[in-house]
Amino acid sequence: MSGPRRRLAAVLVAFAVAGCGSTVPSTSPVSPSAVVTTAPSIAPSSGASAVPSIRPGELGKGVVAVTVSDRLRVRSKPVVSDDSIKYEPVLPLGTSLFVLDGPVVDSGYTWYKVAPVSFSELAGPGFGWVASADHDGTPWIAPAQGATADLAVAMSTTPRAAADPAAAKSAATSIDALGIDIHRALLADKSLDLGKRNTVFSPASIAIALAMARGGAKGTTATEMDKVLHASGWDSLASGLNSLDRILSSRNASWTDSEGAKQLTLKLANAPFAQRGWTIEPGYLDALGAAFGAGLRLVDYEGDPNKSRETINAWVKDRTAGRIPKLLSEDQITDITRLVLVNAIYLKAQWALPFDEDRTEPAPFTRLDGSKVNVPT
């Protein structure tokens, strides 16, 4: 099949987990390594400080913000000085931020402490201080709009682990084995009748999504999940998937060769969406933070399942550049849903050997229902 040299693909996997129909009050205190941020319209979880009164459109503690500039850099301190470390690289335009503290005024800027949880390449502890605007008033961050602006987040401030190439290679081997297992299971399922059909899925997405749940598993459940994931335990699984994720994310680049401008954009986003009010073990938040640079997004399945579904769909649409505008249908999220694990992969790249358009012509393509349509081939 042929077409423009640029190809965009977005792959996403989601698992929904149902609860027993009632939530457990959040009574566990949040450890010093964990923080809970909440949108102004949501009551804070136990152990979190109260959210100040914030008018719509304002920045402040607990607000979900987004970068509106591609020049924003995270610093270790809210000041322009030699002892304020400038973390690398700069944040991409459209990066989601959760405001942990601020405002603080210094060096002619207004600063906010943020956790850029949707960006996995940031050096440093995974959080820091950003200036909200340039000296001339040009904004660098702004409150998020739409469904995702109402998200609450519980996350750890534990630094994300560094990448280990050997661990990444081991994780890739395990993911290959998982992919073969899944493919065999799909072919063996007579109800799917896939024997003569093309089958496409992403074992990496499935592995990462399951691993986000594995971080909170113990005993027999943990042992069984390790067997499925071809892992020898949480430490090796977390190290391998974290390293693979970070190494893949570092491949983004733009360059020019004899054929013109080239671009490679690969974004991996991981997010568990849990029921607000659940008891959250600080150790689980630490595991998610260290392994994936992720926290728990908190929504209210029990009180408003439709709004929760719309929030997840909006997050997915944003992470896949609009390629997956609606992941979940109304019947897939109910008031007994308690956890949805989401992994999104967005790829924009050119073919290494692009098709020759002069050798392309219409040819029939058979759909699943047996009908045919002509496509460039």
Side-chain angles (χ1 to χ4, degrees):
M1 188 176 294
S2 179
R5 289 184 177 180
R6 291 176 180 265
R7 289 292 185 272
L8 280 80
V11 181
L12 186 138
V13 61
F15 299 96
V17 180
C20 60
S22 62
T23 58
V24 179
S26 179
T27 56
S28 298
V30 178
S31 73
S33 65
V35 295
V36 177
T37 69
T38 62
S41 61
I42 300 175
S45 300
S46 174
S49 57
V51 177
S53 176
I54 302 171
R55 293 189 297 272
E58 284 189 340
L59 287 167
K61 185 177 180 180
V63 167
V64 181
V66 64
T67 58
V68 292
S69 166
D70 59 1
R71 299 172 54 198
L72 190 65
R73 189 182 298 277
V74 179
R75 286 178 173 267
S76 61
K77 298 180 181 179
V79 60
V80 177
S81 64
D82 292 339
D83 63 345
S84 179
I85 300 170
K86 292 191 290 186
Y87 297 131
E88 299 288 348
V90 296
L91 298 180
L93 180 69
T95 301
S96 293
L97 309 169
F98 294 99
V99 180
L100 307 177
D101 206 351
V104 173
V105 178
D106 199 293
S107 306
Y109 297 99
T110 299
W111 303 85
Y112 292 90
K113 188 177 184 179
V114 301
V117 296
S118 66
F119 183 60
S120 62
E121 298 176 49
L122 183 68
F127 62 93
W129 294 85
V130 298
S132 61
D134 204 345
H135 287 299
D136 62 5
T138 301
W140 286 339
I141 64 173
Q145 304 295 321
T148 56
D150 287 334
L151 269 177
V153 176
M155 63 179 298
S156 172
T157 56
T158 299
R160 189 175 183 185
D164 177 357
K169 185 175 181 179
S170 177
T173 301
S174 296
I175 290 173
D176 288 344
L178 173 65
I180 293 172
D181 290 345
I182 295 173
H183 193 216
R184 286 173 175 166
L186 292 173
L187 292 176
D189 188 337
K190 295 182 179 180
S191 66
L192 298 176
D193 191 25
L194 297 178
K196 296 181 179 180
R197 299 179 181 178
N198 292 325
T199 305
V200 179
F201 62 93
S202 170
S205 296
I206 296 170
I208 293 173
L210 287 176
M212 289 189 291
R214 170 61 182 87
K218 296 180 180 179
T220 302
T221 300
T223 300
E224 291 176 347
M225 295 187 76
D226 287 341
K227 182 178 180 181
V228 170
L229 292 167
H230 293 267
S232 58
W234 170 249
D235 290 342
S236 63
L237 177 66
S239 176
L241 291 179
N242 170 66
S243 299
L244 186 62
D245 181 36
R246 300 199 72 153
I247 290 172
L248 290 175
S249 297
S250 69
R251 297 295 191 261
N252 295 318
S254 298
W255 69 95
T256 301
D257 60 18
S258 59
E259 296 181 352
K262 297 291 182 66
Q263 179 183 359
L264 171 61
T265 302
L266 176 62
K267 298 180 180 179
L268 288 81
N270 312 302
F273 290 80
Q275 171 65 40
R276 197 174 69 224
W278 255 14
T279 297
I280 302 172
E281 294 291 341
Y284 180 55
L285 295 179
D286 290 343
L288 287 178
F292 304 107
L296 276 175
R297 273 74 168 175
L298 306 176
V299 294
D300 189 8
Y301 300 113
E302 186 177 31
D304 196 339
N306 189 57
K307 184 176 181 181
S308 300
R309 178 183 63 85
E310 291 177 348
T311 298
I312 297 172
N313 282 344
W315 185 89
V316 170
K317 181 179 180 180
D318 176 64
R319 295 305 183 276
T320 59
R323 296 288 165 171
I324 303 179
K326 183 180 178 181
L327 171 71
L328 300 170
S329 59
E330 292 183 7
D331 62 338
Q332 291 178 304
I333 297 295
T334 71
D335 59 0
I336 65 169
T337 302
R338 291 296 176 265
L339 178 67
V340 175
L341 303 170
V342 179
N343 166 269
I345 299 177
Y346 172 80
L347 171 66
K348 181 178 182 180
Q350 292 85 18
W351 293 103
L353 298 173
F355 291 111
D356 186 346
E357 295 184 12
D358 293 336
R359 300 178 62 185
T360 300
E361 60 184 25
F365 180 83
T366 304
R367 295 170 170 166
L368 289 177
D369 60 7
S371 62
K372 297 182 181 296
V373 63
N374 283 336
V375 297
T377 304

